[in-house]
Amino acid sequence: MTTTAFTAAGAIAAPIQIRTICCIGAGYVGGPTMAVIADRCPDIQVLVVDLSVERIASWNDSDLTRLPVYEPGLDGVVARCRGRNLHFSTEVDAAIAAADMVFIAVNTPTKTRGIGAGQASDLRWVEACARQVARSAQGHTIVVEKSTLPVRTAEAVKAILDAAQGPQANSTPPRTFSVLSNPEFLAEGTAISDLEAPDRVLIGGEDPAAIAALAQVYGQWVNPEKILRTNLWSSELSKLTANAFLAQRISSINSIASLCEATEADVEEVARAIGADSRIGSKFLKAGPGFGGSCFQKDILNLVYLCRHFGLSEVADYWESVVTLNRWQQHRIAALVVQKLFGTVIGKRIAILGFAFKADTNDTRESPAISICLDLLEEGAKLAIHDPKVDPAQIARDLGQPSAADAWIPCDDVTEALDGADAAVILTEWQAYRELDWDVMAPLMRHPAWIFDGRGMMDFMALTSTNLHLWRVGCSNA
């Protein structure tokens, strides 16, 4: 693929031919994104590299149910491309050397120590990637920030790459670099459809030829009108801002849900009424146990840190309140379980239905279930945890303790989880939980028994013959 671009002065920039793409990071962003690029651009060789031997082995497993990332439709995309123009490897240096374009899609967790601990992003892996690209790249390489990054991170990446520019041995072309920002806007559970039919593709940069080259890659299946071009800094900030606005809506509707419970209003009716306003819209107005996932909390806290760094304390306080209310919602639900079960859950079996942060993913990062389960364990409850996609080993890591009969146990099916339970707490909106026959399930539980519906999935009328008590988020009729 060859792209010709015009410089700001109108002169024709040198054409850039994209034949090989390398992506550093085979996780939730890198794997699906590169799979779709390979699927839609069969003339480009796509190499996804990662230092984790186990993760790469999972991507190469002949059993597609063992892919390290669960996303509806991902297995089909990988099946079409893997071995043709989609490859997974631990040979990072060789992949970088062969690439015309390198995507950086590594994790950027929140710092746990030092300056900015608890808010700022830990950029050690991004810096390590930049240094490895600087060391291994050949000729001209376009480096694309795909990870979520603080504003002006590209400056650090460019500084590292600029130090490596210049002539190389053996008369090879001089080593040069262009840096672009291309943040992802994927929703877990719909990542493949988000990639195949995106609302927009955002490319930030200063090099017209490099921007045109990346736009041409996406242009093989994305309408050019949806490919937006900005400067580097606007692109980096747009990702943080998008997630902050979405998370804000979730905290806002959850705050109203608590008011609905106190005033005999119904949050679903309120959400429908305000969502009909074209200025507001209906998306992200579903009350629940709070937001989770790898991005929302991390990105808001990053935004908070940046605002404080630039002296905008009032702005920082505003965005920090979104995270504060989200945590409050999770603690509130756990406290309600204790309250409804006669003020104590010591020794009581509580079925946890759903541990992933949302349906159609196996991702548990910042899942509301973690906080709620930890609160209930602290109160002395015995948890029976079921999730159709989350590995029990991951649950053990998230809870910080192995499964044990006196604390928590994983369950293979809902029936096992509910057997002898005093309550069921629905924390992930899996379709299978919507389809449960509670006339069959209710006799398994110890009565008086409760269902705590943290996702607003249950119908009161469906429980009339079961003698089950129901609390549903945002509804006063519980």
Side-chain angles (χ1 to χ4, degrees):
M1 175 187 299
T2 302
T3 298
T4 300
F6 291 87
T7 66
I12 298 177
I16 298 176
Q17 188 173 14
I18 304 299
R19 297 168 302 228
T20 303
I21 289 175
C22 165
C23 177
I24 306 175
Y28 280 91
V29 174
T33 301
M34 293 302 115
V36 170
I37 287 178
D39 192 34
R40 297 307 180 103
C41 304
D43 57 326
I44 298 177
Q45 289 294 315
V46 179
L47 294 86
V48 184
V49 294
D50 200 289
L51 295 178
S52 171
V53 174
E54 180 183 1
R55 180 176 294 174
I56 292 299
S58 296
W59 280 111
N60 284 322
D61 199 310
S62 59
D63 183 354
L64 292 172
T65 65
R66 296 179 180 175
L67 295 178
V69 174
Y70 173 73
E71 278 289 335
L74 176 60
D75 53 352
V77 177
V78 172
R80 286 194 296 272
C81 305
R82 194 175 60 188
R84 181 194 72 187
N85 68 323
L86 176 64
H87 313 277
F88 298 92
S89 172
T90 57
E91 299 295 326
V92 180
D93 289 327
I96 293 171
D100 304 303
M101 181 177 285
V102 176
F103 284 78
I104 296 177
V106 295
N107 193 22
T108 53
T110 302
K111 289 182 69 175
T112 58
R113 58 189 297 182
I115 298 172
Q119 293 183 340
S121 289
D122 185 343
L123 301 178
R124 76 179 86 172
W125 306 121
V126 173
E127 180 180 342
C129 285
R131 293 187 181 280
Q132 193 160 12
V133 171
R135 185 171 61 247
S136 302
Q138 302 292 317
H140 183 69
T141 305
I142 300 172
V143 179
V144 183
E145 297 177 333
K146 199 67 179 172
S147 302
T148 302
L149 301 168
V151 186
R152 303 197 77 86
T153 300
E155 277 188 331
V157 173
K158 289 172 69 175
I160 292 170
L161 297 175
D162 286 346
Q165 291 192 131
Q168 296 175 261
N170 303 320
S171 300
T172 56
R175 183 182 293 155
T176 57
F177 301 95
S178 296
V179 178
L180 301 178
S181 170
N182 176 223
E184 54 84 16
F185 296 100
L186 307 180
E188 291 188 43
T190 60
I192 299 304
S193 59
D194 292 342
L195 287 162
E196 292 178 334
D199 290 335
R200 78 294 204 193
V201 171
L202 183 58
I203 303 173
E206 312 302 328
D207 180 353
I211 294 172
L214 182 53
Q216 185 65 28
V217 172
Y218 285 112
Q220 293 212 33
W221 79 95
V222 178
N223 187 323
E225 294 181 356
K226 293 189 174 183
I227 301 176
L228 310 181
R229 295 164 170 83
T230 69
N231 67 36
L232 274 169
W233 326 125
S234 295
S235 178
E236 289 177 336
L237 183 56
S238 293
K239 170 62 175 177
L240 299 182
T241 304
N243 280 342
F245 271 59
L246 293 173
Q248 176 200 54
R249 286 173 69 94
I250 294 173
S251 283
S252 294
I253 197 64
N254 282 339
S255 71
I256 299 303
S258 65
L259 183 59
C260 287
E261 294 166 24
T263 60
E264 298 187 8
D266 188 320
V267 73
E268 292 188 359
E269 295 177 351
V270 173
R272 186 168 65 250
I274 66 173
D277 188 325
S278 61
R279 298 168 300 175
I280 298 174
S282 60
K283 293 184 178 181
F284 278 74
L285 291 180
K286 181 69 175 175
F291 55 76
S294 63
C295 290
F296 280 4
Q297 177 169 301
K298 174 174 70 72
D299 290 356
I300 294 177
L301 292 175
N302 196 340
L303 193 61
V304 169
Y305 177 75
L306 286 170
C307 290
R308 291 221 165 94
H309 173 77
F310 288 106
L312 304 170
S313 58
E314 291 81 6
V315 181
D317 291 344
Y318 172 76
W319 286 112
E320 192 169 25
S321 70
V322 174
V323 175
T324 299
L325 196 138
N326 191 61
R327 292 170 177 161
W328 172 81
Q329 175 75 341
Q330 295 162 16
H331 294 311
R332 183 176 83 92
I333 290 175
L336 275 166
V337 174
V338 176
Q339 175 194 335
K340 298 292 187 182
L341 295 183
F342 308 112
T344 179
V345 292
I346 295 176
K348 293 178 180 177
R349 182 182 176 98
I350 298 177
I352 302 295
L353 302 187
F355 201 83
F357 86 92
K358 63 184 290 190
D360 294 325
T361 181
N362 61 347
D363 194 354
T364 64
R365 287 175 291 180
E366 302 296 341
S367 174
I370 299 172
S371 174
I372 293 170
C373 286
L374 288 174
D375 281 358
L376 293 174
L377 288 171
E378 181 66 21
E379 290 287 340
K382 296 181 178 181
L383 306 183
I385 303 176
H386 173 268
D387 190 287
K389 292 297 180 180
V390 177
D391 192 309
Q394 183 60 51
I395 298 175
R397 288 190 290 270
D398 289 330
L399 296 181
Q401 56 182 291
S403 61
D406 61 344
W408 73 274
I409 57 170
C411 297
D412 292 331
D413 56 57
V414 176
T415 300
E416 179 187 357
L418 291 174
D419 189 18
D422 293 88
V425 186
I426 302 173
L427 296 178
T428 310
E429 67 278 25
W430 289 106
Q431 182 62 30
Y433 300 154
R434 298 181 187 275
E435 298 170 353
L436 290 173
D437 186 342
W438 287 99
D439 286 328
V440 174
M441 297 296 166
L444 300 174
M445 303 177 72
R446 188 175 78 153
H447 291 259
W450 278 83
I451 298 175
F452 295 91
D453 180 8
R455 292 290 181 173
M457 297 167 57
M458 298 294 300
D459 181 354
F460 285 99
M461 298 303 295
L463 299 180
T464 53
S465 61
T466 65
N467 292 322
L468 290 171
H469 300 283
L470 174 64
W471 172 85
R472 191 175 71 193
V473 64
C475 183
S476 63
N477 294 327

